[in-house]
Amino acid sequence: ETGLEAIDAIEAFTFDLKGVEAFDTGNIIKYICRWKQKDGVRDLKKAQWYLNHLINHVEKENEKV
């Protein structure tokens, strides 16, 4: 509707990320962008799952340092 594509936002926000960080961030953006037009609360819960997964990953990485 606005001419913005989720894939463009995902590419912009993940260009410097790798692996789990890129994958989870991309999915968070995807589900947040589409929740109202697609699967509603189900998409919000998917975004939440990927966010929790990313938080756990980053916390584990920070413990290694």
Side-chain angles (χ1 to χ4, degrees):
E1 191 172 298
T2 64
L4 296 173
E5 295 289 332
I7 190 68
D8 296 328
I10 292 167
E11 287 177 357
F13 283 100
T14 63
F15 80 95
D16 61 343
L17 302 176
K18 303 257 188 274
V20 171
E21 293 178 6
F23 186 77
D24 285 353
T25 301
N27 278 308
I28 293 162
I29 295 167
K30 174 180 76 174
Y31 288 118
I32 291 297
C33 286
R34 76 181 211 174
W35 77 271
K36 194 73 169 175
Q37 291 77 31
K38 298 269 183 164
D39 290 331
V41 172
R42 184 175 170 178
D43 276 348
L44 292 173
K45 288 182 179 183
K46 287 179 184 179
Q48 183 178 41
W49 188 92
Y50 282 105
L51 180 57
N52 289 333
H53 188 259
L54 179 58
I55 289 168
N56 290 332
H57 171 77
V58 172
E59 286 177 339
K60 286 178 186 173
E61 290 297 309
N62 288 342
E63 289 175 4
K64 293 179 184 178
V65 183

CSV table of all heavy atoms in Angstrom, one decimal:
chain,number,residue,atom,x,y,z
A,1,GLU,N,0.8,-1.2,0.0
A,1,GLU,CA,0.0,0.0,0.0
A,1,GLU,C,0.9,1.3,0.0
A,1,GLU,O,0.6,2.2,-0.7
A,1,GLU,CB,-0.9,0.0,1.2
A,1,GLU,CG,-2.0,1.0,1.2
A,1,GLU,CD,-3.0,0.8,2.3
A,1,GLU,OE1,-3.6,-0.2,2.3
A,1,GLU,OE2,-3.1,1.7,3.2
A,2,THR,N,1.9,1.3,0.8
A,2,THR,CA,2.8,2.4,0.9
A,2,THR,C,3.9,2.4,-0.2
A,2,THR,O,4.7,3.4,-0.3
A,2,THR,CB,3.5,2.6,2.3
A,2,THR,OG1,4.3,1.5,2.5
A,2,THR,CG2,2.4,2.7,3.3
A,3,GLY,N,4.1,1.3,-0.8
A,3,GLY,CA,5.2,1.1,-1.7
A,3,GLY,C,6.5,0.5,-1.1
A,3,GLY,O,7.4,0.2,-1.8
A,4,LEU,N,6.5,0.4,0.2
A,4,LEU,CA,7.6,-0.1,0.9
A,4,LEU,C,7.4,-1.7,1.0
A,4,LEU,O,6.4,-2.2,1.3
A,4,LEU,CB,7.7,0.4,2.3
A,4,LEU,CG,8.0,1.9,2.5
A,4,LEU,CD1,7.9,2.3,3.9
A,4,LEU,CD2,9.3,2.3,1.9
A,5,GLU,N,8.5,-2.4,0.7
A,5,GLU,CA,8.5,-3.8,0.8
A,5,GLU,C,9.2,-4.3,2.0
A,5,GLU,O,10.3,-3.7,2.3
A,5,GLU,CB,9.2,-4.4,-0.5
A,5,GLU,CG,8.4,-4.1,-1.8
A,5,GLU,CD,7.1,-4.9,-1.9
A,5,GLU,OE1,7.0,-6.0,-1.3
A,5,GLU,OE2,6.2,-4.4,-2.6
A,6,ALA,N,8.7,-5.3,2.7
A,6,ALA,CA,9.3,-5.8,3.9
A,6,ALA,C,10.7,-6.3,3.6
A,6,ALA,O,11.6,-6.1,4.4
A,6,ALA,CB,8.5,-6.9,4.5
A,7,ILE,N,10.9,-6.9,2.4
A,7,ILE,CA,12.3,-7.4,2.1
A,7,ILE,C,13.3,-6.3,2.0
A,7,ILE,O,14.4,-6.5,2.4
A,7,ILE,CB,12.2,-8.2,0.7
A,7,ILE,CG1,13.5,-8.9,0.5
A,7,ILE,CG2,11.9,-7.3,-0.4
A,7,ILE,CD1,13.8,-10.1,1.5
A,8,ASP,N,12.9,-5.1,1.6
A,8,ASP,CA,13.8,-4.0,1.6
A,8,ASP,C,14.2,-3.5,3.0
A,8,ASP,O,15.4,-3.2,3.3
A,8,ASP,CB,13.2,-2.8,0.8
A,8,ASP,CG,13.0,-3.1,-0.6
A,8,ASP,OD1,13.8,-3.9,-1.2
A,8,ASP,OD2,12.0,-2.6,-1.2
A,9,ALA,N,13.2,-3.5,3.9
A,9,ALA,CA,13.5,-3.2,5.3
A,9,ALA,C,14.4,-4.3,5.9
A,9,ALA,O,15.4,-3.9,6.6
A,9,ALA,CB,12.2,-3.1,6.1
A,10,ILE,N,14.1,-5.5,5.7
A,10,ILE,CA,14.9,-6.6,6.2
A,10,ILE,C,16.4,-6.5,5.7
A,10,ILE,O,17.3,-6.6,6.5
A,10,ILE,CB,14.3,-8.0,5.8
A,10,ILE,CG1,13.0,-8.2,6.6
A,10,ILE,CG2,15.3,-9.1,6.1
A,10,ILE,CD1,12.1,-9.3,6.1
A,11,GLU,N,16.6,-6.3,4.4
A,11,GLU,CA,17.9,-6.1,3.9
A,11,GLU,C,18.6,-5.0,4.5
A,11,GLU,O,19.8,-5.1,4.9
A,11,GLU,CB,17.9,-6.0,2.4
A,11,GLU,CG,17.6,-7.2,1.6
A,11,GLU,CD,17.4,-7.0,0.1
A,11,GLU,OE1,17.6,-5.9,-0.4
A,11,GLU,OE2,17.2,-8.1,-0.6
A,12,ALA,N,17.9,-3.8,4.7
A,12,ALA,CA,18.6,-2.7,5.3
A,12,ALA,C,19.0,-2.9,6.7
A,12,ALA,O,20.1,-2.4,7.2
A,12,ALA,CB,17.6,-1.5,5.2
A,13,PHE,N,18.2,-3.6,7.5
A,13,PHE,CA,18.5,-3.8,8.9
A,13,PHE,C,19.3,-5.0,9.2
A,13,PHE,O,19.8,-5.1,10.4
A,13,PHE,CB,17.2,-3.9,9.7
A,13,PHE,CG,16.5,-2.6,9.9
A,13,PHE,CD1,15.4,-2.2,9.1
A,13,PHE,CD2,16.9,-1.7,10.9
A,13,PHE,CE1,14.8,-0.9,9.3
A,13,PHE,CE2,16.3,-0.5,11.1
A,13,PHE,CZ,15.3,-0.1,10.3
A,14,THR,N,19.6,-5.9,8.2
A,14,THR,CA,20.4,-7.1,8.5
A,14,THR,C,21.7,-7.1,7.7
A,14,THR,O,22.4,-8.1,7.8
A,14,THR,CB,19.6,-8.3,8.2
A,14,THR,OG1,19.2,-8.4,6.9
A,14,THR,CG2,18.3,-8.4,9.1
A,15,PHE,N,22.0,-6.1,6.9
A,15,PHE,CA,23.1,-6.1,6.0
A,15,PHE,C,24.4,-6.4,6.7
A,15,PHE,O,25.3,-7.1,6.1
A,15,PHE,CB,23.2,-4.8,5.2
A,15,PHE,CG,23.9,-3.7,5.9
A,15,PHE,CD1,25.2,-3.4,5.8
A,15,PHE,CD2,23.1,-2.9,6.8
A,15,PHE,CE1,25.8,-2.4,6.5
A,15,PHE,CE2,23.7,-1.8,7.5
A,15,PHE,CZ,25.1,-1.6,7.3
A,16,ASP,N,24.6,-6.0,8.0
A,16,ASP,CA,25.8,-6.3,8.7
A,16,ASP,C,25.8,-7.4,9.7
A,16,ASP,O,26.7,-7.6,10.5
A,16,ASP,CB,26.3,-5.0,9.4
A,16,ASP,CG,25.3,-4.5,10.4
A,16,ASP,OD1,24.1,-4.9,10.4
A,16,ASP,OD2,25.7,-3.6,11.2
A,17,LEU,N,24.7,-8.2,9.7
A,17,LEU,CA,24.5,-9.3,10.6
A,17,LEU,C,24.8,-10.6,9.9
A,17,LEU,O,24.7,-10.7,8.7
A,17,LEU,CB,23.1,-9.3,11.2
A,17,LEU,CG,22.6,-8.0,11.9
A,17,LEU,CD1,21.1,-8.2,12.3
A,17,LEU,CD2,23.4,-7.8,13.1
A,18,LYS,N,25.1,-11.6,10.7
A,18,LYS,CA,25.4,-12.9,10.2
A,18,LYS,C,24.7,-14.0,11.0
A,18,LYS,O,24.3,-13.8,12.1
A,18,LYS,CB,26.9,-13.2,10.3
A,18,LYS,CG,27.8,-12.2,9.7
A,18,LYS,CD,28.4,-12.7,8.4
A,18,LYS,CE,29.4,-11.9,7.8
A,18,LYS,NZ,28.9,-10.8,7.0
A,19,GLY,N,24.4,-15.1,10.4
A,19,GLY,CA,23.9,-16.3,11.0
A,19,GLY,C,22.6,-16.0,11.7
A,19,GLY,O,21.6,-15.4,11.2
A,20,VAL,N,22.5,-16.5,13.0
A,20,VAL,CA,21.3,-16.5,13.8
A,20,VAL,C,20.8,-15.0,13.9
A,20,VAL,O,19.6,-14.8,13.9
A,20,VAL,CB,21.5,-17.1,15.2
A,20,VAL,CG1,20.4,-16.8,16.1
A,20,VAL,CG2,21.8,-18.6,15.1
A,21,GLU,N,21.7,-14.1,14.1
A,21,GLU,CA,21.4,-12.7,14.3
A,21,GLU,C,20.6,-12.2,13.1
A,21,GLU,O,19.6,-11.5,13.2
A,21,GLU,CB,22.6,-11.9,14.7
A,21,GLU,CG,23.2,-12.2,16.0
A,21,GLU,CD,24.4,-11.4,16.3
A,21,GLU,OE1,24.8,-10.5,15.6
A,21,GLU,OE2,25.0,-11.7,17.4
A,22,ALA,N,21.1,-12.5,11.9
A,22,ALA,CA,20.5,-12.0,10.7
A,22,ALA,C,19.1,-12.7,10.5
A,22,ALA,O,18.1,-12.0,10.2
A,22,ALA,CB,21.4,-12.3,9.5
A,23,PHE,N,19.1,-14.0,10.7
A,23,PHE,CA,17.9,-14.8,10.5
A,23,PHE,C,16.8,-14.3,11.4
A,23,PHE,O,15.6,-14.1,11.0
A,23,PHE,CB,18.2,-16.3,10.7
A,23,PHE,CG,17.0,-17.2,10.3
A,23,PHE,CD1,16.7,-17.4,9.0
A,23,PHE,CD2,16.3,-17.7,11.4
A,23,PHE,CE1,15.6,-18.2,8.7
A,23,PHE,CE2,15.2,-18.5,11.1
A,23,PHE,CZ,14.9,-18.8,9.7
A,24,ASP,N,17.1,-14.3,12.7
A,24,ASP,CA,16.1,-13.9,13.7
A,24,ASP,C,15.6,-12.5,13.5
A,24,ASP,O,14.4,-12.2,13.5
A,24,ASP,CB,16.6,-14.1,15.1
A,24,ASP,CG,16.7,-15.5,15.6
A,24,ASP,OD1,16.2,-16.4,14.8
A,24,ASP,OD2,17.2,-15.8,16.7
A,25,THR,N,16.5,-11.5,13.2
A,25,THR,CA,16.2,-10.1,13.0
A,25,THR,C,15.3,-10.0,11.8
A,25,THR,O,14.2,-9.3,11.8
A,25,THR,CB,17.4,-9.2,12.9
A,25,THR,OG1,18.2,-9.4,14.1
A,25,THR,CG2,17.0,-7.8,12.6
A,26,GLY,N,15.6,-10.7,10.7
A,26,GLY,CA,14.8,-10.7,9.5
A,26,GLY,C,13.4,-11.2,9.8
A,26,GLY,O,12.4,-10.6,9.3
A,27,ASN,N,13.3,-12.3,10.5
A,27,ASN,CA,11.9,-12.8,10.8
A,27,ASN,C,11.1,-11.9,11.8
A,27,ASN,O,9.9,-11.8,11.6
A,27,ASN,CB,12.1,-14.2,11.4
A,27,ASN,CG,12.2,-15.3,10.3
A,27,ASN,OD1,11.5,-15.3,9.4
A,27,ASN,ND2,13.3,-16.1,10.4
A,28,ILE,N,11.8,-11.3,12.7
A,28,ILE,CA,11.1,-10.3,13.6
A,28,ILE,C,10.5,-9.2,12.7
A,28,ILE,O,9.3,-8.9,12.9
A,28,ILE,CB,12.1,-9.8,14.6
A,28,ILE,CG1,12.5,-10.9,15.6
A,28,ILE,CG2,11.5,-8.6,15.4
A,28,ILE,CD1,13.8,-10.5,16.4
A,29,ILE,N,11.3,-8.7,11.9
A,29,ILE,CA,10.8,-7.6,11.0
A,29,ILE,C,9.7,-8.0,10.1
A,29,ILE,O,8.7,-7.4,10.0
A,29,ILE,CB,12.0,-7.0,10.1
A,29,ILE,CG1,13.0,-6.3,11.0
A,29,ILE,CG2,11.4,-6.0,9.1
A,29,ILE,CD1,14.3,-6.0,10.3
A,30,LYS,N,9.8,-9.2,9.5
A,30,LYS,CA,8.8,-9.8,8.6
A,30,LYS,C,7.5,-9.9,9.3
A,30,LYS,O,6.4,-9.4,8.8
A,30,LYS,CB,9.2,-11.1,8.1
A,30,LYS,CG,8.2,-11.8,7.3
A,30,LYS,CD,8.6,-13.2,6.7
A,30,LYS,CE,8.7,-14.2,7.8
A,30,LYS,NZ,9.0,-15.5,7.3
A,31,TYR,N,7.5,-10.5,10.5
A,31,TYR,CA,6.2,-10.8,11.2
A,31,TYR,C,5.6,-9.5,11.8
A,31,TYR,O,4.4,-9.4,11.8
A,31,TYR,CB,6.4,-11.8,12.3
A,31,TYR,CG,6.6,-13.2,11.7
A,31,TYR,CD1,7.8,-13.9,11.9
A,31,TYR,CD2,5.6,-13.8,10.9
A,31,TYR,CE1,7.9,-15.2,11.4
A,31,TYR,CE2,5.8,-15.0,10.4
A,31,TYR,CZ,6.9,-15.7,10.6
A,31,TYR,OH,7.1,-17.0,10.0
A,32,ILE,N,6.4,-8.6,12.2
A,32,ILE,CA,5.9,-7.3,12.7
A,32,ILE,C,5.3,-6.5,11.5
A,32,ILE,O,4.3,-5.9,11.7
A,32,ILE,CB,7.0,-6.5,13.4
A,32,ILE,CG1,7.4,-7.1,14.7
A,32,ILE,CG2,6.6,-5.0,13.6
A,32,ILE,CD1,6.4,-7.2,15.7
A,33,CYS,N,5.9,-6.5,10.4
A,33,CYS,CA,5.4,-5.8,9.2
A,33,CYS,C,4.1,-6.3,8.7
A,33,CYS,O,3.3,-5.6,8.2
A,33,CYS,CB,6.4,-5.8,8.1
A,33,CYS,SG,7.9,-4.8,8.3
A,34,ARG,N,3.9,-7.6,8.8
A,34,ARG,CA,2.7,-8.2,8.2
A,34,ARG,C,1.6,-8.6,9.1
A,34,ARG,O,0.5,-9.0,8.7
A,34,ARG,CB,3.1,-9.4,7.4
A,34,ARG,CG,3.4,-10.7,8.2
A,34,ARG,CD,3.8,-11.8,7.4
A,34,ARG,NE,3.4,-13.1,8.0
A,34,ARG,CZ,3.5,-14.2,7.4
A,34,ARG,NH1,4.1,-14.4,6.2
A,34,ARG,NH2,3.1,-15.3,8.1
A,35,TRP,N,1.7,-8.5,10.4
A,35,TRP,CA,0.8,-9.1,11.4
A,35,TRP,C,-0.7,-8.6,11.1
A,35,TRP,O,-1.6,-9.4,11.2
A,35,TRP,CB,1.2,-8.8,12.8
A,35,TRP,CG,1.0,-7.4,13.3
A,35,TRP,CD1,1.8,-6.4,13.2
A,35,TRP,CD2,-0.2,-7.0,14.0
A,35,TRP,NE1,1.2,-5.3,13.8
A,35,TRP,CE2,0.0,-5.6,14.3
A,35,TRP,CE3,-1.4,-7.6,14.3
A,35,TRP,CZ2,-1.0,-4.8,14.9
A,35,TRP,CZ3,-2.4,-6.8,15.0
A,35,TRP,CH2,-2.2,-5.5,15.3
A,36,LYS,N,-0.8,-7.4,10.8
A,36,LYS,CA,-2.2,-6.8,10.7
A,36,LYS,C,-2.9,-7.3,9.4
A,36,LYS,O,-4.1,-7.6,9.4
A,36,LYS,CB,-2.1,-5.3,10.6
A,36,LYS,CG,-3.5,-4.6,10.8
A,36,LYS,CD,-3.9,-4.7,12.3
A,36,LYS,CE,-5.1,-3.8,12.5
A,36,LYS,NZ,-5.7,-3.9,13.8
A,37,GLN,N,-2.1,-7.6,8.3
A,37,GLN,CA,-2.7,-8.0,7.1
A,37,GLN,C,-2.8,-9.5,6.9
A,37,GLN,O,-3.5,-10.0,6.1
A,37,GLN,CB,-1.9,-7.5,5.9
A,37,GLN,CG,-2.1,-6.0,5.7
A,37,GLN,CD,-1.2,-5.2,6.7
A,37,GLN,OE1,-0.2,-5.6,7.1
A,37,GLN,NE2,-1.7,-4.0,7.0
A,38,LYS,N,-2.0,-10.3,7.7
A,38,LYS,CA,-1.9,-11.7,7.6
A,38,LYS,C,-2.5,-12.5,8.7
A,38,LYS,O,-3.7,-12.6,8.7
A,38,LYS,CB,-0.4,-12.1,7.4
A,38,LYS,CG,0.2,-11.5,6.2
A,38,LYS,CD,0.1,-12.4,5.0
A,38,LYS,CE,0.9,-11.8,3.8
A,38,LYS,NZ,1.1,-12.8,2.8
A,39,ASP,N,-1.7,-12.9,9.7
A,39,ASP,CA,-2.2,-13.8,10.7
A,39,ASP,C,-2.4,-13.2,12.1
A,39,ASP,O,-2.4,-13.9,13.1
A,39,ASP,CB,-1.2,-15.0,10.8
A,39,ASP,CG,-1.3,-15.9,9.6
A,39,ASP,OD1,-2.4,-16.0,9.0
A,39,ASP,OD2,-0.3,-16.6,9.2
A,40,GLY,N,-2.5,-11.9,12.2
A,40,GLY,CA,-2.8,-11.2,13.4
A,40,GLY,C,-1.9,-11.6,14.6
A,40,GLY,O,-0.7,-11.6,14.5
A,41,VAL,N,-2.5,-12.0,15.7
A,41,VAL,CA,-1.8,-12.4,16.9
A,41,VAL,C,-0.8,-13.5,16.7
A,41,VAL,O,0.3,-13.6,17.3
A,41,VAL,CB,-2.8,-12.8,18.0
A,41,VAL,CG1,-2.1,-13.3,19.2
A,41,VAL,CG2,-3.7,-11.5,18.4
A,42,ARG,N,-1.1,-14.4,15.8
A,42,ARG,CA,-0.2,-15.5,15.5
A,42,ARG,C,1.1,-15.0,15.0
A,42,ARG,O,2.2,-15.5,15.4
A,42,ARG,CB,-0.9,-16.5,14.5
A,42,ARG,CG,0.0,-17.7,14.1
A,42,ARG,CD,-0.8,-18.6,13.2
A,42,ARG,NE,0.1,-19.6,12.7
A,42,ARG,CZ,-0.3,-20.6,12.0
A,42,ARG,NH1,-1.5,-20.7,11.6
A,42,ARG,NH2,0.6,-21.5,11.6
A,43,ASP,N,1.1,-14.0,14.1
A,43,ASP,CA,2.3,-13.4,13.6
A,43,ASP,C,3.0,-12.6,14.7
A,43,ASP,O,4.3,-12.6,14.8
A,43,ASP,CB,2.1,-12.5,12.4
A,43,ASP,CG,2.0,-13.2,11.1
A,43,ASP,OD1,2.4,-14.4,11.1
A,43,ASP,OD2,1.6,-12.6,10.1
A,44,LEU,N,2.3,-12.0,15.6
A,44,LEU,CA,2.9,-11.3,16.7
A,44,LEU,C,3.6,-12.3,17.6
A,44,LEU,O,4.7,-12.0,18.1
A,44,LEU,CB,1.9,-10.5,17.5
A,44,LEU,CG,1.3,-9.3,16.8
A,44,LEU,CD1,0.2,-8.7,17.6
A,44,LEU,CD2,2.3,-8.2,16.4
A,45,LYS,N,3.0,-13.4,17.8
A,45,LYS,CA,3.7,-14.4,18.7
A,45,LYS,C,4.9,-15.0,18.0
A,45,LYS,O,5.9,-15.3,18.7
A,45,LYS,CB,2.7,-15.5,19.0
A,45,LYS,CG,1.6,-15.1,20.0
A,45,LYS,CD,0.6,-16.2,20.4
A,45,LYS,CE,-0.4,-15.7,21.4
A,45,LYS,NZ,-1.3,-16.7,21.8
A,46,LYS,N,4.9,-15.1,16.7
A,46,LYS,CA,6.1,-15.6,16.0
A,46,LYS,C,7.2,-14.6,16.1
A,46,LYS,O,8.3,-14.9,16.3
A,46,LYS,CB,5.7,-15.8,14.5
A,46,LYS,CG,4.9,-17.1,14.2
A,46,LYS,CD,4.6,-17.2,12.8
A,46,LYS,CE,3.7,-18.4,12.5
A,46,LYS,NZ,3.4,-18.5,11.1
A,47,ALA,N,6.9,-13.3,16.0
A,47,ALA,CA,7.9,-12.3,16.1
A,47,ALA,C,8.4,-12.3,17.5
A,47,ALA,O,9.6,-12.2,17.7
A,47,ALA,CB,7.3,-10.9,15.9
A,48,GLN,N,7.6,-12.5,18.5
A,48,GLN,CA,8.0,-12.6,19.9
A,48,GLN,C,8.9,-13.8,20.1
A,48,GLN,O,9.9,-13.7,20.8
A,48,GLN,CB,6.8,-12.8,20.8
A,48,GLN,CG,7.1,-12.8,22.3
A,48,GLN,CD,5.8,-12.9,23.1
A,48,GLN,OE1,4.9,-13.6,22.8
A,48,GLN,NE2,5.8,-12.1,24.2
A,49,TRP,N,8.6,-15.0,19.5
A,49,TRP,CA,9.4,-16.2,19.6
A,49,TRP,C,10.8,-15.9,19.1
A,49,TRP,O,11.9,-16.2,19.7
A,49,TRP,CB,8.8,-17.3,18.8
A,49,TRP,CG,9.6,-18.6,19.1
A,49,TRP,CD1,9.3,-19.5,20.1
A,49,TRP,CD2,10.7,-19.1,18.4
A,49,TRP,NE1,10.2,-20.5,20.0
A,49,TRP,CE2,11.1,-20.3,19.0
A,49,TRP,CE3,11.5,-18.6,17.3
A,49,TRP,CZ2,12.2,-21.1,18.6
A,49,TRP,CZ3,12.6,-19.4,16.9
A,49,TRP,CH2,12.9,-20.6,17.5
A,50,TYR,N,10.9,-15.3,17.9
A,50,TYR,CA,12.2,-15.0,17.3
A,50,TYR,C,13.0,-13.9,18.1
A,50,TYR,O,14.2,-14.0,18.2
A,50,TYR,CB,12.1,-14.5,15.8
A,50,TYR,CG,11.8,-15.6,14.9
A,50,TYR,CD1,10.6,-15.9,14.3
A,50,TYR,CD2,12.9,-16.5,14.5
A,50,TYR,CE1,10.4,-17.0,13.5
A,50,TYR,CE2,12.7,-17.6,13.7
A,50,TYR,CZ,11.4,-17.8,13.1
A,50,TYR,OH,11.3,-18.9,12.3
A,51,LEU,N,12.3,-13.0,18.7
A,51,LEU,CA,12.9,-12.0,19.6
A,51,LEU,C,13.5,-12.7,20.8
A,51,LEU,O,14.6,-12.4,21.2
A,51,LEU,CB,11.9,-10.9,19.9
A,51,LEU,CG,12.5,-9.8,20.8
A,51,LEU,CD1,13.7,-9.1,20.2
A,51,LEU,CD2,11.4,-8.8,21.1
A,52,ASN,N,12.7,-13.5,21.4
A,52,ASN,CA,13.2,-14.3,22.6
A,52,ASN,C,14.4,-15.1,22.2
A,52,ASN,O,15.4,-15.2,23.0
A,52,ASN,CB,12.1,-15.1,23.2
A,52,ASN,CG,11.1,-14.3,23.9
A,52,ASN,OD1,11.4,-13.2,24.4
A,52,ASN,ND2,9.9,-14.8,24.0
A,53,HIS,N,14.4,-15.8,21.1
A,53,HIS,CA,15.5,-16.6,20.6
A,53,HIS,C,16.7,-15.7,20.4
A,53,HIS,O,17.8,-16.1,20.8
A,53,HIS,CB,15.1,-17.3,19.3
A,53,HIS,CG,16.0,-18.3,18.8
A,53,HIS,ND1,16.9,-18.1,17.8
A,53,HIS,CD2,16.3,-19.6,19.2
A,53,HIS,CE1,17.6,-19.1,17.6
A,53,HIS,NE2,17.3,-20.1,18.4
A,54,LEU,N,16.6,-14.6,19.8
A,54,LEU,CA,17.7,-13.7,19.5
A,54,LEU,C,18.3,-13.2,20.9
A,54,LEU,O,19.5,-13.1,21.0
A,54,LEU,CB,17.2,-12.5,18.7
A,54,LEU,CG,18.3,-11.4,18.3
A,54,LEU,CD1,19.5,-12.1,17.6
A,54,LEU,CD2,17.7,-10.3,17.5
A,55,ILE,N,17.4,-12.8,21.8
A,55,ILE,CA,17.9,-12.3,23.1
A,55,ILE,C,18.7,-13.4,23.8
A,55,ILE,O,19.8,-13.2,24.3
A,55,ILE,CB,16.7,-11.9,24.0
A,55,ILE,CG1,16.1,-10.6,23.5
A,55,ILE,CG2,17.2,-11.8,25.5
A,55,ILE,CD1,14.8,-10.3,24.1
A,56,ASN,N,18.2,-14.7,23.8
A,56,ASN,CA,19.0,-15.8,24.4
A,56,ASN,C,20.3,-16.0,23.7
A,56,ASN,O,21.3,-16.2,24.3
A,56,ASN,CB,18.1,-17.1,24.3
A,56,ASN,CG,17.0,-17.0,25.2
A,56,ASN,OD1,17.0,-16.4,26.3
A,56,ASN,ND2,15.9,-17.8,24.9
A,57,HIS,N,20.3,-15.9,22.4
A,57,HIS,CA,21.6,-16.0,21.6
A,57,HIS,C,22.6,-15.0,22.0
A,57,HIS,O,23.7,-15.3,22.2
A,57,HIS,CB,21.3,-16.0,20.1
A,57,HIS,CG,22.5,-15.9,19.3
A,57,HIS,ND1,23.3,-17.0,19.0
A,57,HIS,CD2,23.1,-14.9,18.6
A,57,HIS,CE1,24.3,-16.7,18.3
A,57,HIS,NE2,24.2,-15.4,18.0
A,58,VAL,N,22.1,-13.7,22.0
A,58,VAL,CA,23.0,-12.6,22.3
A,58,VAL,C,23.5,-12.7,23.8
A,58,VAL,O,24.7,-12.5,24.0
A,58,VAL,CB,22.3,-11.2,22.0
A,58,VAL,CG1,23.2,-10.1,22.5
A,58,VAL,CG2,22.0,-11.1,20.6
A,59,GLU,N,22.7,-13.1,24.7
A,59,GLU,CA,23.1,-13.2,26.1
A,59,GLU,C,24.2,-14.3,26.2
A,59,GLU,O,25.2,-14.1,26.9
A,59,GLU,CB,21.9,-13.6,27.0
A,59,GLU,CG,21.0,-12.4,27.2
A,59,GLU,CD,19.8,-12.8,28.1
A,59,GLU,OE1,19.4,-13.9,28.1
A,59,GLU,OE2,19.2,-11.8,28.6
A,60,LYS,N,24.0,-15.4,25.5
A,60,LYS,CA,25.0,-16.5,25.5
A,60,LYS,C,26.3,-16.0,24.9
A,60,LYS,O,27.4,-16.4,25.4
A,60,LYS,CB,24.5,-17.7,24.8
A,60,LYS,CG,23.5,-18.5,25.5
A,60,LYS,CD,22.9,-19.7,24.7
A,60,LYS,CE,21.8,-20.4,25.5
A,60,LYS,NZ,21.2,-21.4,24.7
A,61,GLU,N,26.2,-15.3,23.8
A,61,GLU,CA,27.5,-14.7,23.2
A,61,GLU,C,28.2,-13.8,24.1
A,61,GLU,O,29.4,-13.8,24.2
A,61,GLU,CB,27.1,-14.0,21.9
A,61,GLU,CG,26.7,-15.0,20.7
A,61,GLU,CD,27.8,-15.9,20.4
A,61,GLU,OE1,28.9,-15.5,20.1
A,61,GLU,OE2,27.5,-17.2,20.3
A,62,ASN,N,27.4,-13.0,24.8
A,62,ASN,CA,28.0,-12.0,25.8
A,62,ASN,C,28.7,-12.7,27.0
A,62,ASN,O,29.6,-12.2,27.5
A,62,ASN,CB,27.0,-11.0,26.3
A,62,ASN,CG,26.6,-10.0,25.2
A,62,ASN,OD1,27.3,-9.8,24.2
A,62,ASN,ND2,25.4,-9.4,25.4
A,63,GLU,N,28.2,-13.9,27.3
A,63,GLU,CA,28.8,-14.6,28.4
A,63,GLU,C,30.1,-15.2,28.0
A,63,GLU,O,31.0,-15.4,28.9
A,63,GLU,CB,27.9,-15.8,28.8
A,63,GLU,CG,26.6,-15.4,29.5
A,63,GLU,CD,25.7,-16.6,29.8
A,63,GLU,OE1,26.0,-17.7,29.5
A,63,GLU,OE2,24.6,-16.3,30.3
A,64,LYS,N,30.4,-15.4,26.7
A,64,LYS,CA,31.6,-15.9,26.3
A,64,LYS,C,32.8,-14.9,26.3
A,64,LYS,O,33.9,-15.2,26.4
A,64,LYS,CB,31.5,-16.4,24.8
A,64,LYS,CG,30.6,-17.6,24.7
A,64,LYS,CD,30.5,-18.0,23.2
A,64,LYS,CE,29.6,-19.2,23.0
A,64,LYS,NZ,29.4,-19.5,21.6
A,65,VAL,N,32.4,-13.6,26.4
A,65,VAL,CA,33.4,-12.6,26.4
A,65,VAL,C,33.9,-12.3,27.7
A,65,VAL,O,33.4,-12.4,28.7
A,65,VAL,CB,32.8,-11.3,25.8
A,65,VAL,CG1,33.8,-10.2,25.7
A,65,VAL,CG2,32.2,-11.5,24.4
